[in-house]
Every structure is written in structure tokens, then in C-alpha cells.
Amino acid sequence: MIGGRLGDVRPHATTLVAAATATLLLLAICLLSGYATATVVLIALLGFFGLGANPVLIALSVRFAGQAPALGPALSVAAFNLGTGRLLVRRPRPRLAPRDHRSRRGRHRPSPP
């Protein structure tokens, strides 16, 4: 709610401050992740600032959509979902080169150069 109210007054400043604050909070989480209480507080603040820019960005996309009023919010919501979904996708592990089974048994080890 606060992000939306601030976004009505100063939309561009709100998005820039929210992004900068989220970046600083991520850095603080990296540095203070060993302390449980600090990490919980920082994650709560990250949610507050990180999600505060979304309604403002959607409102800006509707405002500047022009003759495609449904396309603006659809693309902005799709972009948010894509960014969130990329964190949840399991990436395949790279395959290692096949091992030589003979050297694993210890019989045919290559001689040192």
C-alpha cells in the first residue's frame, strides 16, 4: 500500500529507491546471513521494498501502453512472473567427461611425464 501511495506522487523516484534499497538489503543479507534475527528482519524489509515497486511499475505500463491497454499490464505481470520463475527452475548439472574404468581400478595408470 505504501509503495502504491508513494508511486502516485513520485512514480519514477519510488521505483528507483525501491530497486536501490532492495539491492542494499540483498548485500546486507549476504554479509549478515550468520545472524538469524538480522536475516529475518532483512528478508522482511526486502519483501516490503522489493514488492513495493510492482504496483507502481504496472501503473506506469498501463499509463504508457497507449492503444494497447491490455498489453501493458499483461507484459509487466509476465515479466515479474518470469523473474520469479527463473529462481524456481531446476537447471541441469553439466555432465562430466566419462571416466576411464581401467584407471579407477588402479591397474593401468598413466605413467608420469
Side-chain angles (χ1 to χ4, degrees):
M1 275 178 27
I2 295 173
R5 290 182 187 224
L6 291 173
D8 287 341
V9 179
R10 296 181 179 268
H12 298 291
T14 302
T15 56
L16 290 175
V17 168
T21 306
T23 302
L24 292 174
L25 286 169
L26 286 171
L27 178 64
I29 288 171
C30 289
L31 296 174
L32 299 173
S33 62
Y35 303 99
T37 306
T39 303
V40 169
V41 170
L42 290 171
I43 288 175
L45 288 172
L46 179 64
F48 178 75
F49 283 100
L51 296 175
N54 293 357
V56 179
L57 292 171
I58 292 172
L60 287 173
S61 69
V62 170
R63 183 186 305 171
F64 294 115
Q67 295 182 359
L71 186 62
L75 286 177
S76 63
V77 170
F80 293 138
N81 290 338
L82 178 67
T84 305
R86 294 288 293 171
L87 298 175
L88 302 176
V89 173
R90 183 176 176 211
R91 293 182 178 93
R93 293 183 178 180
R95 292 185 175 230
L96 300 174
R99 293 183 178 176
D100 184 10
H101 297 289
R102 293 177 294 175
S103 65
R104 191 168 36 161
R105 289 186 213 145
R107 291 185 190 162
H108 300 286
R109 293 186 186 217
S111 60

